[in-house]
Amino acid sequence: MARIAAAAYPLCNLVDWAAYEAKLTLWIDDAAAQGAELLLFPEYSGAELATLGNGPWGEDHFAAIDAITARLERANAFLAGLAQSRKVFLLSGSAAIRDGDQIINRAFFMTPGGDIAPVDKLMPTRWEREALGMVGGAAPTLFETPLGKIGTAICYDCEFPLITRAMVEAGAEILLVPSCTETLAGYSRVKIGAMARALESQCWAIHAPLIGDNDWAEMVAENTGAAAIYGPPDTGFPPTGITAGAKIDEPGWTIADCDPAAVHLVRREGSVMNWADWDQQDGRLSAITQRKFA
């Protein structure tokens, strides 16, 4: 059994490192106090690192990226220390950073044992490619933990079923979906994608969005979303597929107990067998019958 917490997280224009550490400590302590063992922060919540003592960065995305990159090692050491002392697993808020001569969207998976592993967004959006020149990561990463086998699909990644399927075939039972979406339409795309991945792969999907508006950074100026924990609407899960969910733009943690055993039960005894029947698509896709009508 894993108690999982998904953050609907508003950004702040933070004054200094003390303010950053105080905010993250408060959030992590709040989830840990509720018994959470796995914490998920949203896509681009790492952008707060650009604000420390800098004030608004407006449209200067690359100055912000450089500031975040320069502060990343210190931030990771601090967050990893919290993961160790609070005995939790967590996926940090991702950010656009420089990796050599490339810009990538990267989060970090941290463990109670002090491990830190990078997780890259595989499918940059049109805006990320055109405005930032961002490139995608090379391959999905699967984490085997005492809480279950955990995969990550950062925002747009969850709209591509084969990315999740690769992780599921490798054993994933829990899919983490951090997101950053400006509009209700963008949030809805990620929500629908996360719910569809939970349906077709018969797994848990944990959605943590960035929320709130900010007048100090065009990159993260508007954010809409609701945290939620999804599963397949079948045996052992709620008929809506929604195990827990917050209201739109409601800050805080959404927490639920997510048992990997429930995944294996529904895959074995569900009313439908999406996970097992996946390969039956192959023979039906080799040719398409086309008929033309006047």
Side-chain angles (χ1 to χ4, degrees):
M1 182 73 70
R3 176 159 285 195
I4 303 179
Y9 186 86
L11 294 176
C12 296
N13 190 357
L14 299 170
V15 176
D16 52 24
W17 274 104
Y20 171 80
E21 292 179 358
K23 181 180 180 184
L24 270 296
T25 299
L26 183 65
W27 273 77
I28 291 171
D29 281 350
D30 182 26
Q34 297 180 66
E37 302 163 280
L38 172 60
L39 283 56
L40 174 58
F41 285 95
E43 180 186 37
Y44 281 113
S45 62
E48 283 182 321
L49 288 171
T51 70
L52 309 186
N54 288 5
W57 77 66
E59 297 182 4
D60 194 348
H61 306 318
F62 298 103
I65 289 169
D66 289 339
I68 294 166
T69 305
R71 295 165 178 159
L72 196 58
E73 185 175 355
R74 179 174 175 179
N76 282 350
F78 170 71
L79 291 173
L82 286 180
Q84 283 186 280
S85 62
R86 276 58 171 180
K87 296 180 174 57
V88 297
F89 292 85
L90 69 85
L91 187 73
S92 69
S94 80
I97 64 167
R98 292 193 188 275
D99 184 16
D101 60 355
Q102 296 181 325
I103 293 175
I104 57 175
N105 186 340
R106 177 170 287 173
F108 292 87
F109 189 77
M110 301 176 181
T111 77
D115 304 292
I116 303 175
V119 181
D120 292 347
K121 188 174 188 175
L122 303 182
M123 301 292 293
T125 62
R126 178 180 180 182
W127 184 87
E128 287 172 318
R129 295 175 195 272
E130 294 178 359
L132 304 180
M134 183 178 288
V135 300
T141 302
L142 185 68
F143 300 105
E144 187 170 353
T145 78
L147 305 180
K149 294 182 179 179
I150 301 167
T152 299
I154 298 178
C155 201
Y156 193 40
D157 289 352
C158 85
E159 298 177 35
F160 295 87
L162 296 184
I163 291 175
T164 296
R165 185 64 191 184
M167 291 185 280
V168 167
E169 289 183 350
E173 299 151 329
I174 300 166
L175 180 68
L176 305 182
V177 185
S179 72
C180 170
T181 49
E182 291 181 327
T183 64
L184 182 61
Y187 157 69
S188 297
R189 288 193 294 269
V190 178
K191 174 185 176 181
I192 291 166
M195 294 187 78
R197 304 296 78 81
L199 167 65
E200 71 201 9
S201 293
Q202 295 181 294
C203 67
W204 296 101
I206 319 300
H207 185 186
L210 205 63
I211 62 170
D213 296 340
N214 307 289
D215 60 6
W216 40 267
E218 190 269 341
M219 185 190 297
V220 287
E222 299 176 5
N223 305 283
T224 299
I229 295 175
Y230 305 120
D234 202 339
T235 304
F237 292 84
T240 60
I242 303 172
T243 296
K247 297 177 181 178
I248 287 283
D249 295 337
E250 180 178 68
W253 293 105
T254 293
I255 300 177
D257 292 324
C258 304
D259 192 350
V263 169
H264 298 287
L265 175 66
V266 74
R267 290 176 180 177
R268 186 176 65 248
E269 300 182 13
S271 300
V272 292
M273 306 293 287
N274 303 76
W275 176 78
D277 290 343
W278 179 274
D279 291 340
Q280 293 188 26
Q281 300 175 90
D282 294 345
R284 293 162 176 79
L285 301 179
S286 57
I288 298 176
T289 300
Q290 297 190 51
R291 297 181 178 181
K292 184 177 181 179
F293 298 95

